[in-house]
Amino acid sequence: MQHTALTRRIAASPLAPLATFPIRLAAAARHNAHTVKQTASWLVRSREHVHYTYDLEPLNLEHLSWFVATATGTPVDEIRGYLAEVQQDEQLRRLVAAGLARSERNATTDPVVRYGRRIGWYAFVRALRPGFVVETGTNRGLGSAVIAAALLRNGGGRLATVDIDDRAGELIVPPYDGVVDHVIGDSLEFLAGPVARQQPIDLLFVDTGWTPEHERAELAAATPLLSPRAVVLATKTYCWSELPRWAEENRREFLHFSEKPRDHWYRGVGIGASFPALVRA
């Protein structure tokens, strides 16, 4: 925008709010029009009503690469390779799509496989090569299948996952079920039981998403089960502060990655990561 002597005088005068109102209104209208267009398109082409799936914007993928690289101490080029690897895994995509198609909930499911932040989960597993992974909040099992695919690529490791919904885990199909212990039950009881305590946890996914109090209780229950190198990931750090608070109390690091969905009205969630404290100069 070109500024003139007149516009500068107006900007410094009491008339400034009135003079800039049309500009502000136009900017807000453009933003809202774009959101309305995306929403209308989604209403027509999608059947999802909860647990939305989407791909991430290209720049957001680059941000995700650096986020995972920093949290794992891995070269960023290696992380970019892992993100590409899961997106190009045709077996995983085909088997997840088949699982979605035969689901009893397929009337409210899109037939297109979209991973969103879960490709970051995959990269964490590939980079850290954990021996034991625990996930609270299986849901349909999309994230579990992605984690299992990474474990199979690593050539070792197991996942134990829990959800209170007896329909959960429908996407944990062969060969991924071969490295997964899937439990139906309360997550706190699960963390106190033998499945979650079979060996130290190297990577913990906290994804039940009930309440801040429940996440706090899960973190407290899991703390004595973690290995010294353990990384803890949580989904709800965009809306509550349990993981960063826990990280500070336990002298650990914390970072948050915010999703930017591609061609979707939903703003996305993200990944919160707590990892062992870095050695600072």
Side-chain angles (χ1 to χ4, degrees), residues 111-122:
V112 180
V113 178
R114 296 177 289 247
Y115 301 119
R117 65 191 171 278
R118 296 171 188 85
I119 64 171
W121 298 5
Y122 180 94

Side-chain angles (χ1 to χ4, degrees), residues 1-113:
M1 178 180 179
Q2 279 298 104
H3 292 287
T4 66
L6 177 60
T7 59
R8 289 177 186 274
R9 284 198 300 271
I10 293 174
S13 77
L15 294 175
L18 182 61
T20 59
F21 181 80
I23 300 172
R24 296 168 59 238
L25 178 61
R30 284 193 299 271
H31 170 79
N32 291 336
H34 179 68
T35 302
V36 168
K37 182 180 178 181
Q38 286 184 324
T39 303
S41 174
W42 174 79
L43 287 170
V44 171
R45 62 180 169 78
S46 175
R47 298 181 299 199
E48 294 178 334
H49 71 106
V50 69
H51 301 300
Y52 307 127
T53 62
Y54 38 77
D55 294 316
L56 302 180
E57 292 182 354
L59 180 59
N60 200 219
L61 289 174
E62 179 66 2
H63 296 164
L64 179 57
S65 298
W66 282 97
F67 169 79
V68 179
T70 302
T72 61
T74 305
V76 70
D77 278 350
E78 185 176 330
I79 300 301
R80 291 191 189 106
Y82 294 146
L83 296 182
E85 183 177 88
V86 64
Q87 293 177 92
Q88 295 165 8
D89 188 333
E90 292 304 322
Q91 174 181 265
L92 175 63
R93 195 173 294 275
R94 174 172 49 82
L95 292 176
V96 169
L100 291 172
R102 64 174 173 263
S103 167
E104 65 180 33
R105 293 179 277 181
N106 64 10
T108 55
T109 300
D110 289 344
V112 180
V113 178

Side-chain angles (χ1 to χ4, degrees), residues 219-242:
L219 290 169
T223 299
L225 309 181
L226 300 177
S227 72
R229 69 185 186 103
V231 172
V232 179
L233 305 179
T235 300
K236 285 298 195 299
T237 50
Y238 77 100
C239 64
W240 58 59
S241 60
E242 299 312 312

Side-chain angles (χ1 to χ4, degrees), residues 131-133 196-203 224-228 230:
F132 187 43
V133 183
R197 292 172 174 262
Q198 55 188 278
Q199 65 185 85
I201 299 170
D202 298 315
L203 182 57
L225 309 181
L226 300 177
S227 72

Side-chain angles (χ1 to χ4, degrees), residues 142-246:
L142 177 57
S144 304
V146 168
I147 295 166
L151 290 172
L152 289 173
R153 287 268 191 178
N154 286 349
R158 290 196 65 80
L159 165 67
T161 181
V162 62
D163 200 293
I164 202 167
D165 187 344
D166 61 7
R167 301 172 301 171
E170 61 189 343
L171 299 181
I172 306 174
V173 297
Y176 310 115
D177 60 348
V179 295
V180 178
D181 299 313
H182 178 219
V183 176
I184 299 297
D186 177 78
S187 61
L188 296 176
E189 294 178 2
F190 166 79
L191 289 169
V195 175
R197 292 172 174 262
Q198 55 188 278
Q199 65 185 85
I201 299 170
D202 298 315
L203 182 57
L204 172 65
F205 293 87
V206 179
D207 196 26
T208 51
W210 291 358
T211 63
E213 292 75 20
H214 189 82
E215 182 168 300
R216 188 182 314 138
E218 286 187 344
L219 290 169
T223 299
L225 309 181
L226 300 177
S227 72
R229 69 185 186 103
V231 172
V232 179
L233 305 179
T235 300
K236 285 298 195 299
T237 50
Y238 77 100
C239 64
W240 58 59
S241 60
E242 299 312 312
L243 185 60
R245 182 182 297 126
W246 175 84

